[in-house]
Amino acid sequence: MRIPVALVVGVAAVVLTTLVAQWQAVVALVTGAVVAGATQVVVEVWKRRKVQLVDNANRVLDRVVSQFPRKYRDHLASSLRYIDQKGLATIGEVNPDLDDVYVDVSIASMAPHQADAGMLPGGLKDPMERRDLAHFLDQPVPAVLAVVGVPGSGKTTLLRHTARSICQQPKGRRRSVPILLYLRDHVDAIAEDKTILLPVLVRESLGRLAASEPIGWFGDQLADGHCVVLLDGLDEVAGQRNRRLVAAWVERQTTQYPHNDFVITSRREGILDAPIHGAQQLQTRRFTQAQVRRFVNRWYLAMERVSSNDEGVRQRAKAAADDLLSKLDSAPGLADFTANPLLLTMIANVHKYRGALPGSRTNLYSEICQVMLWRRQEAKNLPTGLSGDKKEQMLRGLAYRMMKAGVGEFKRAAVLEEFNATLRKLSTSLTAEDVVTDVSSNGLLIEREEGLYTFAHKTFQEYLAARYINENALGDELVYQVDDAYWEETILLYTTMAAADDVIRACLASGSANALSLALKCLEQRDILELEPDVRDELAALLTIERFDQASAHQRRTTATILAHRYTMSWAHPRRGVRIAPRPVPADIYRVFELEQGRTGEGDAVGACGGMSGARAEQFCRWFNDLLDSDQAYRLPRRVELDNQATSDLDDCLVWVKDEAVGVWARHGKPHLVTRVDLFSALRHDLQHLPTVFLLLVLYAYRVHVTSGPQLSKDALAELSEVLGAALRIARSAGDDRVLVPLIGRLERVVKALEENRQWGTDLAEIAKETFGKVPQAGPLLSASSWDEAHIGRPFVTALLTFSSALKPAPVRKFIDALADESELAAWEEWDAPPEALAGLLRAVLTRLAKAFRTEPWPLRAITLLASLRPLVEAENPAVGPKEARLARLVCFGLSTFTKSDTNDLALRLLDVAAGFTLLERRTDGTADSRETIVLVADWSKITHDAG
């Protein structure tokens, strides 16, 4: 059956229409659902983001309105304003500002295992470089620094000052937000949550200020790299496990916030036990002498300003600082202590509030032991284990045992044995291992090498041993040790705690240099009236030998020993290092030296010695070492050592020094200076007497006549007429000179004969004969006996005759021309050397001259004449008068005019010789300084002692 096309089309249209309607309905339904759903999503998103957007807006508003950055910096700077003196045994009523007192300790690159372990300088070399911490901070590449330092070396103060400086000057810094945390305060928080972040700990340290921090401010500053994170005291974290835990936490923070500077401080043991990987290792440097002086002056000025602010503040502060510094200079046993900032602060406090140093030396050592063993730990709320007095008791026994063994180091087993013996008497659960760990972390007892322990400074061993001897009534043992320098400091410290009579009796009975020195040092610590009468009288008798030249050799030797020890006891370090005496050797000691050398002492034996040669100064050093039996420990200083010496007592001294050779040092000026002007003036002065110049001119004219004969060229006649005309003018101006006046008539006839071209040679020969006593010949003319000594003297005439004895007139003429032109001396500058340097120079010059002039007759004669002066300058104290000085000057100057063109250096050395004789002449007549003195250096740097 066929279906109509129309029907099919109609049905299709109906179906299509239905489908379109349904699709539209579906699309409408879907669109409505989508819109409704999207609206719901937007509503939900808004609900969720509204809180975050509001929080962010609040954070921005808080940062603008709260001014927290300024409040935080002010808070941190205020908390760091004063010096931290917590734990010190002596503290005054005022505490100076850190900014007023701070002296930068400086740091240098050094691996921790190379650094000193004790609180005082050890045997390791101090690094040459000196940088401040700021040098390593705020650089384009962020730094992670591990600053290692001994106890009391200023690590904490360095961080406090750095934080305060950044607070006060944040502008222009890339990292302008300081964060300072003391790691010991956050151990529990880190142990409880190893993932805890730095901002959390910072907030914990702020107290009430933390509430005003804009949300996430510290985290944002760290994330943006704006911070300098200062983490103090890794070594103060108790227990190895906790230290490593904290070190690992620090490493995580440097990784979490990599764009910031990090500085972590620790003692050597702490950083070795728990290293910070990736950190640059630095070490604090000890104070130099200049820094010690700067600190003391600043400290006293700050203390006086706090107390009062009148016009006399600076004057009082300067006087107090000078007093302390002078006492430190005279107490070398304390010199090493001043290199440590903490101990220097303690010394300054003790000086101000407890009296003078070094009389309070024992008290000072006691305070140091207290502070290092327990006071500082208590002030920082750190566990102390045993009580402080028990720790010290154990160390006293150890120190005594080491002294008895004559050693400065003990193996770990011996230390544990000693501590176990004491622990058995105490009610404690601590083991000897615990005590070793405790006391070796405080800087008094240190592990210098693995398993080998020593006290940080020999003084602590000596002090603690003296305390042990006193408390256990063992003083009788010390009378057998008075000859042993190893026990000296222990005995001295003991006599500050107990009577000194028995010790001094033992010293006097011994009579050795060491024993007598010890007796005097004991006396210095005590009033002589405190001694029993027999001891006092015997000791006084040794000190009253006033006239050395009338004393026996034994008396002089004994007195010299006492005087020498008294001189050195106030400055010479007894064990190690180099120390320069603050003042020259006393004249009374030098007088004994001269008498023992067979020389008669002259003048009063008071004040400082002076006027000796450098050779005598070296000889004195050898005698002094022999006197004290000190194994050549005392020597002349080096020039650079005196340049660096701050003691003003030497500023006006001329001091013998020895580097490659012996010389003279002066802080101001050049003590042995003869300038070009000085030398030329002396040469002119040599010729200022008219007869001298007249003689030269006549000699020159006569040589022209002898060598040329009567038939002279026109030029030669003109030159001869000019020379004799000058001689005539001199003779006429000589007044009533009894030598020249009779020659005027004859000289006038010679000049007239020359003008008229008549015979004149006979008259000139007669003039020469009358002048010299006989007619000069072509050879050497040594006869000058008839020349008036009042005019010039035989040596000078001999020099002139030698110069004029050549067959040609050139030498004399060249010599006269050179004297007329000061530019001949232009290449020569000055002579600045001690007189004794002239002897070696003269020998060298004579040798070179002999090689330069082997065949020429007149230079050989001049060299012989110059050599005749050699014994004079090689004498112990050469006395050069005008005659010898003139002879040397004219011979050297004359020879220099002929060596200059060929060997300029030889010409200059000849002028050096001339200047040297000029200096000797001045020294002889008293117009030049001759106060050279001896300043000794105690150099124990190369001497090893069994005591270590």
Side-chain angles (χ1 to χ4, degrees):
M1 185 176 95
R2 299 183 63 183
I3 299 174
V5 175
L7 178 62
V8 173
V9 172
V11 172
V14 171
V15 172
L16 182 61
T17 302
T18 303
L19 289 173
V20 169
Q22 289 179 347
W23 174 252
Q24 289 177 339
V26 170
V27 171
L29 180 62
V30 171
T31 301
V34 169
V35 171
T39 302
Q40 184 65 31
V41 169
V42 170
V43 170
E44 290 299 323
V45 170
W46 170 249
K47 287 181 180 178
R48 295 179 183 180
R49 296 290 293 174
K50 180 175 67 174
V51 175
Q52 185 176 353
L53 291 173
V54 171
D55 287 344
N56 288 339
N58 285 335
R59 288 171 66 180
V60 173
L61 186 62
D62 282 347
R63 295 181 186 185
V64 173
V65 175
S66 70
Q67 297 183 338
F68 178 79
R70 179 184 60 79
K71 291 180 180 178
Y72 169 70
R73 289 189 180 92
D74 290 346
H75 164 78
L76 186 58
S78 177
S79 69
L80 303 173
R81 176 180 174 182
Y82 298 104
I83 287 181
D84 183 8
Q85 298 193 84
K86 294 190 296 292
L88 299 190
T90 299
I91 299 178
E93 69 277 4
V94 295
N95 199 11
D97 282 12
L98 176 60
D99 294 345
D100 293 338
V101 177
Y102 182 75
V103 173
D104 183 22
V105 295
S106 303
I107 51 181
S109 296
M110 178 176 278
H113 70 276
Q114 295 177 319
D116 279 324
M119 56 195 284
L120 297 177
L124 297 173
K125 183 179 180 181
D126 194 26
M128 294 301 294
E129 68 172 339
R130 181 175 287 275
R131 306 278 191 184
D132 58 18
L133 184 58
H135 172 79
F136 298 92
L137 301 178
D138 204 29
Q139 299 296 320
V141 178
V144 178
L145 309 173
V147 177
V148 179
V150 300
S153 62
K155 302 182 298 297
T156 300
T157 304
L158 174 64
L159 296 194
R160 288 164 57 86
H161 183 265
T162 300
R164 183 168 167 82
S165 298
I166 297 173
C167 287
Q168 293 169 330
Q169 297 178 337
K171 294 181 179 180
R173 291 185 57 89
R174 182 178 292 100
R175 303 175 186 96
S176 59
V177 179
I179 293 174
L180 175 60
L181 294 181
Y182 303 99
L183 292 175
R184 63 178 179 269
D185 296 336
H186 304 282
V187 178
D188 293 341
I190 295 171
E192 183 177 343
D193 181 5
K194 299 180 182 61
T195 63
I196 194 170
L197 294 177
L198 181 58
V200 178
L201 299 187
V202 177
R203 293 187 198 100
E204 290 180 359
S205 70
L206 292 182
R208 289 183 296 178
L209 183 64
S212 61
E213 178 205 359
I215 298 172
W217 186 81
F218 279 109
D220 291 344
Q221 299 303 311
L222 286 164
D224 293 338
H226 293 163
C227 299
V228 178
V229 183
L230 308 168
L231 305 175
D232 183 55
L234 178 62
D235 60 293
E236 294 177 352
V237 175
Q240 185 184 69
R241 180 178 177 277
N242 282 341
R243 274 195 298 277
R244 292 182 176 178
L245 189 69
V246 171
W249 176 84
V250 171
E251 289 179 6
R252 286 195 294 274
Q253 305 316 298
T254 63
T255 303
Q256 179 76 22
Y257 306 108
H259 304 302
N260 304 276
D261 288 331
F262 282 80
V263 184
I264 305 96
T265 65
S266 176
R267 299 179 191 180
R268 184 180 75 161
E269 292 75 16
I271 205 73
L272 288 174
D273 190 38
I276 307 295
H277 297 294
Q280 181 181 355
Q281 308 293 326
L282 302 170
Q283 179 200 0
T284 57
R285 293 197 61 190
R286 52 185 177 264
F287 272 175
T288 63
Q289 278 190 345
Q291 288 177 308
V292 170
R293 293 181 176 277
R294 194 180 311 138
F295 175 87
V296 170
N297 280 285
R298 288 183 178 181
W299 191 85
Y300 261 108
L301 181 59
M303 297 295 284
E304 289 294 334
R305 280 176 172 168
V306 173
S307 302
S308 61
N309 199 21
D310 55 59
E311 295 181 355
V313 163
R314 289 189 174 275
Q315 185 175 357
R316 291 195 303 273
K318 182 68 164 58
D322 288 347
D323 181 65
L324 173 56
L325 291 170
S326 66
K327 286 179 168 60
L328 289 173
D329 287 340
S330 63
L334 299 180
D336 282 343
F337 288 20
T338 62
N340 183 287
L342 173 66
L343 300 188
L344 180 57
T345 303
M346 292 176 62
I347 290 172
N349 273 315
V350 169
H351 177 256
K352 182 171 178 62
Y353 297 110
R354 288 204 176 189
L357 298 173
S360 57
R361 208 160 38 114
T362 304
N363 292 335
L364 178 63
Y365 298 156
S366 176
E367 288 198 15
I368 291 173
C369 290
Q370 292 176 34
V371 169
M372 303 313 295
L373 286 174
W374 58 275
R375 283 187 179 274
R376 293 189 82 211
Q377 287 89 330
E378 285 190 353
K380 296 179 179 181
N381 295 319
L382 297 174
T384 58
L386 281 175
S387 63
D389 61 331
K390 298 300 183 184
K391 292 181 189 177
E392 187 173 330
Q393 180 183 345
M394 300 183 77
L395 290 175
R396 289 173 200 160
L398 178 64
Y400 174 71
R401 185 174 169 186
M402 292 171 70
M403 289 297 300
K404 289 284 287 182
V407 298
E409 297 173 333
F410 251 14
K411 292 183 178 180
R412 184 179 182 87
V415 176
L416 293 174
E417 179 184 347
E418 178 62 32
F419 284 179
N420 272 321
T422 306
L423 284 173
R424 295 189 194 102
K425 305 173 187 177
L426 303 176
S427 177
T428 178
S429 61
L430 292 176
T431 66
E433 293 278 359
D434 296 330
V435 177
V436 168
T437 300
D438 186 358
V439 298
S440 62
S441 68
N442 58 42
L444 283 180
L445 187 71
I446 59 175
E447 190 176 13
R448 186 75 71 189
E449 299 176 8
E450 186 174 358
L452 199 61
Y453 287 81
T454 182
F455 284 92
H457 195 273
K458 180 76 181 302
T459 301
F460 295 132
Q461 178 178 328
E462 293 161 333
Y463 162 74
L464 292 167
R467 287 288 303 272
Y468 184 91
I469 292 169
N470 183 49
E471 291 173 356
N472 291 276
L474 299 175
D476 289 346
E477 294 185 6
L478 296 180
V479 300
Y480 302 105
Q481 309 293 348
V482 294
D483 289 308
D484 189 348
Y486 178 71
W487 280 88
E488 180 179 287
E489 190 69 11
T490 301
I491 295 173
L492 287 171
L493 290 166
Y494 169 79
T495 57
T496 66
M497 310 170 191
D501 298 85
D502 290 342
V503 169
I504 294 180
R505 282 195 184 95
C507 292
L508 294 173
S510 170
S512 69
N514 285 335
L516 291 175
S517 169
L518 181 59
L520 285 175
K521 292 177 181 180
C522 290
L523 179 61
E524 290 291 327
Q525 295 185 149
R526 289 183 165 275
D527 189 326
I528 194 170
L529 297 178
E530 295 180 10
L531 301 175
E532 294 183 10
D534 63 320
V535 178
R536 182 173 64 244
D537 293 345
E538 188 173 354
L539 191 58
L542 288 173
L543 303 174
T544 54
I545 301 176
E546 297 176 353
R547 297 186 60 82
F548 302 133
D549 51 349
Q550 296 179 2
S552 67
H554 175 72
Q555 286 177 314
R556 282 201 301 264
R557 192 76 173 177
T558 302
T559 302
T561 303
I562 295 173
L563 293 173
H565 278 290
R566 171 168 280 186
Y567 169 56
T568 61
M569 62 190 287
S570 63
W571 62 273
H573 198 290
R575 278 170 293 277
R576 174 175 49 80
V578 174
R579 194 80 63 190
I580 301 176
R583 61 185 187 279
V585 170
D588 51 7
I589 300 177
Y590 191 78
R591 169 75 72 81
V592 180
F593 161 70
E594 289 283 86
L595 290 172
E596 287 208 352
Q597 303 303 308
R599 292 174 172 81
T600 302
E602 297 179 0
D604 296 330
V606 294
C609 66
M612 74 293 296
S613 67
R616 296 294 288 167
E618 285 194 288
Q619 190 177 356
F620 173 83
C621 289
R622 292 191 291 271
W623 174 85
F624 194 84
N625 281 293
D626 179 65
L627 182 71
L628 298 184
D629 192 21
S630 59
D631 195 21
Q632 297 297 315
Y634 297 95
R635 59 169 173 80
L636 296 179
R638 299 183 179 93
R639 192 175 300 276
V640 67
E641 290 172 337
L642 291 178
D643 288 339
N644 296 331
Q645 178 80 342
T647 305
S648 59
D649 293 345
L650 302 180
D651 283 357
D652 297 326
C653 294
L654 306 181
V655 181
W656 285 112
V657 294
K658 183 173 183 181
D659 293 303
E660 291 79 11
V662 177
V664 174
W665 171 90
R667 192 180 297 278
H668 306 296
K670 298 181 177 180
H672 304 306
L673 182 64
V674 178
T675 66
R676 183 190 305 120
V677 173
D678 294 333
L679 181 56
F680 193 83
S681 297
L683 285 163
R684 284 283 179 83
H685 184 268
D686 293 339
L687 299 174
Q688 72 180 0
H689 300 292
L690 295 178
T692 305
V693 182
F694 177 84
L695 175 61
L696 282 171
L697 294 173
V698 169
L699 283 172
Y700 178 71
Y702 181 74
R703 283 302 169 205
V704 171
H705 167 64
V706 170
T707 57
S708 301
Q711 301 299 321
L712 296 177
S713 67
K714 184 177 180 181
D715 291 339
L717 285 172
E719 181 180 10
L720 194 58
S721 178
E722 180 184 352
V723 170
L724 291 177
L728 181 58
R729 288 193 296 273
I730 289 174
R732 287 171 176 169
S733 64
D736 58 353
D737 186 278
R738 61 188 181 87
V739 175
L740 297 186
V741 169
L743 302 177
I744 292 176
R746 289 182 177 175
L747 193 55
E748 287 176 341
R749 289 196 297 271
V750 171
V751 173
K752 188 175 182 180
L754 279 170
E755 292 174 349
E756 297 175 354
N757 197 19
R758 293 188 287 105
Q759 194 69 22
W760 49 269
T762 303
D763 285 326
L764 185 59
E766 288 298 318
I767 294 173
K769 181 179 179 181
E770 192 165 335
T771 303
F772 294 105
K774 70 175 186 177
V775 176
Q777 302 299 317
L781 299 177
L782 301 179
S783 175
S785 57
S786 63
W787 186 260
D788 192 335
E789 291 288 331
H791 285 288
I792 192 163
R794 183 184 179 92
F796 184 52
V797 174
T798 304
L800 295 178
L801 293 174
T802 300
F803 276 119
S804 64
S805 62
L807 295 177
K808 295 182 179 181
V812 174
R813 182 55 187 250
K814 191 169 185 179
F815 181 61
I816 295 173
D817 290 343
L819 286 174
D821 184 5
E822 190 172 350
S823 64
E824 290 290 332
L825 290 171
W828 185 83
E829 291 294 334
E830 61 187 31
W831 168 262
D832 180 24
E836 62 179 22
L838 184 59
L841 178 62
L842 181 57
R843 288 195 297 272
V845 165
L846 288 172
T847 301
R848 292 180 63 181
L849 284 172
K851 293 180 179 179
F853 301 103
R854 294 177 178 176
T855 59
E856 300 181 42
W858 82 263
L860 288 176
R861 286 189 287 272
I863 294 169
T864 303
L865 194 62
L866 185 60
S868 68
L869 299 174
R870 179 172 167 177
L872 179 66
V873 298
E874 291 183 340
E876 175 63 31
N877 291 301
V880 173
K883 298 176 183 178
E884 295 82 5
R886 289 173 183 170
L887 171 61
R889 276 191 293 267
L890 288 170
V891 170
C892 289
F893 188 71
L895 287 170
S896 73
T897 62
F898 287 90
T899 59
K900 183 176 299 184
S901 58
D902 299 324
T903 48
N904 188 57
D905 181 65
L906 179 56
L908 295 177
R909 298 293 73 78
L910 281 163
L911 295 177
D912 282 340
V913 172
F917 273 95
T918 304
L919 176 63
L920 286 177
E921 180 186 18
R922 292 179 178 180
R923 292 287 297 270
T924 302
D925 64 21
T927 57
D929 206 340
S930 59
R931 298 178 298 109
E932 291 92 345
T933 189
I934 302 171
V935 173
L936 293 178
V937 170
D939 187 351
W940 298 82
S941 59
K942 297 181 180 179
I943 297 177
T944 57
H945 292 263
D946 293 338

